[in-house]
Amino acid sequence: MRFLSAVVVSLVTVSSVPSLAQAEALQRRSTGAYMNSLYDLVPPMMKLLVEANGEQFFAAQGSYDITPPVAPPNWNQNWIRFGVPSPGVTQSWPSVERANVTDVIIVTDNFSGPPVYGSQGANPNPAVAGPIPRPPVEGKALTWGDEVTDIIAAHEENVTDEPIYWIYEGWADGGKILDDSTGAGSDRDFARWRERTTSQYDYTGWFDNLLEHAKKTEPSVASRIRMIPVARTMVSVMENTPASDIKAGEWFKDAAPHGNDTLHLLVAMIVYSTMFEQKAPKPDVSTKNIHSVFMDNYEEISDHVFEAVQPYIPS
């Protein structure tokens, strides 16, 4: 079993100018996601952003199942089709090969970050494993450090593509802070949740550690292991842009907290800016219920997001 040292990644903002070939490659993203409910409404919003650009391609498939490393992913959640047979994706490495995946997104358990939940006695390494110890199933990793690196190693062994492996930074549990059924909370409670997500429990540090662990464990692909800084960028937007006028119950719909359309658009902007290395364009959201303050200040929010993700875009 691999263990994770408590080393926090130090990131420096470096601007870069990609080559023409690199720039063209950035325009086409086909993603396969090991996902949960903090991600499953993001791809449709990503599609709106790509459509607003007009010169890009984005497609996505995924699965709620984190499979043992001996098995290929069962990407049966069909958001936006690409090269995998759909529906009813064949669970085989050849089907993954045919998909020509450019990006593998790995989403940990909902609200990972053990200090939020307290000590887990059965967890041999709480700095890695998250709030819920990995189940003792044969072939399954026991920590999130192992889980992530096993997924990466399995892809590297079985597929000739060289995708970017993204650790998706979810956000903290809203239980005992936000309203169970609406996600509403007082200004003070909403501030407590933001604190929980960023600094109070070193929640984002947990993801920094996970990224560092994966890079050290798989050094041959370290340059292709990256993070989408969702939680920290989300909170920064909530605190440092006109979106600070939006209340908790206008972002969330329950105490988990799962989001509404406004939150899903913000998360998609973070994913888009990190993955495409561009500012998120203003999409057509006429079929969505997006808060007016958010759309009225979209350009400023998009600028803020793009600046915030710069440390996660390689030089």
Side-chain angles (χ1 to χ4, degrees), residues 87-284:
V89 178
T90 302
Q91 189 175 2
S92 69
W93 286 113
S95 75
V96 177
E97 181 81 38
R98 289 194 300 274
N100 297 315
V101 169
T102 61
D103 303 89
V104 174
I105 295 179
I106 305 171
V107 189
T108 61
D109 283 337
N110 279 14
F111 320 115
S112 292
V116 175
Y117 289 80
S119 176
Q120 296 286 343
N123 184 339
N125 187 5
V128 177
I132 304 172
R134 307 306 298 148
V137 177
E138 185 176 357
K140 290 281 278 188
L142 292 179
T143 74
W144 267 111
D146 292 341
E147 191 75 70
V148 169
T149 52
D150 285 348
I151 288 171
I152 293 170
H155 278 268
E156 290 296 303
E157 180 178 353
N158 291 284
V159 180
T160 59
D161 294 326
E162 295 185 348
I164 297 171
Y165 299 99
W166 298 100
I167 296 174
Y168 176 94
E169 181 188 61
W171 51 92
D173 178 19
K176 299 182 179 179
I177 295 179
L178 303 176
D179 183 86
D180 288 344
S181 59
T182 67
S186 67
D187 289 347
R188 181 179 179 182
D189 287 341
F190 190 22
R192 287 176 57 210
W193 176 82
R194 297 195 305 271
E195 178 75 4
R196 169 179 282 188
T197 294
T198 52
S199 58
Q200 181 179 0
Y201 299 100
D202 198 25
Y203 184 88
T204 52
W206 185 87
F207 286 93
D208 290 333
N209 289 345
L210 187 60
L211 176 65
E212 180 74 1
H213 172 79
K215 286 176 173 285
K216 287 183 176 180
T217 306
E218 300 293 336
S220 65
V221 293
S223 65
R224 290 190 280 119
I225 304 173
R226 304 175 190 172
M227 179 161 60
I228 304 175
V230 175
R232 65 193 73 191
T233 306
M234 175 196 300
V235 170
S236 183
V237 167
M238 290 173 172
E239 293 182 338
N240 300 296
T241 75
S244 61
D245 289 340
I246 302 175
K247 304 298 184 183
E250 297 169 321
W251 290 109
F252 307 123
K253 63 182 181 181
D254 58 33
H258 294 98
N260 59 29
D261 284 353
T262 304
L263 187 79
H264 298 148
L265 177 56
L266 172 57
V267 174
M269 292 167 68
I270 297 166
V271 176
Y272 178 97
S273 290
T274 310
M275 184 177 293
F276 283 96
E277 303 182 12
Q278 296 178 7
K279 279 180 51 180
K282 193 171 186 177
D284 177 2

Side-chain angles (χ1 to χ4, degrees), residues 45-107:
M45 288 292 189
M46 284 282 289
K47 184 173 184 290
L48 294 181
L49 295 174
V50 168
E51 289 173 347
N53 180 286
E55 298 181 354
Q56 295 174 329
F57 173 84
F58 174 78
Q61 300 234 157
S63 172
Y64 281 94
D65 299 324
I66 296 290
T67 58
V70 295
N74 183 20
W75 285 334
N76 54 18
Q77 176 86 14
N78 301 310
W79 294 296
I80 306 154
R81 292 187 181 185
F82 61 99
V84 175
S86 174
V89 178
T90 302
Q91 189 175 2
S92 69
W93 286 113
S95 75
V96 177
E97 181 81 38
R98 289 194 300 274
N100 297 315
V101 169
T102 61
D103 303 89
V104 174
I105 295 179
I106 305 171
V107 189

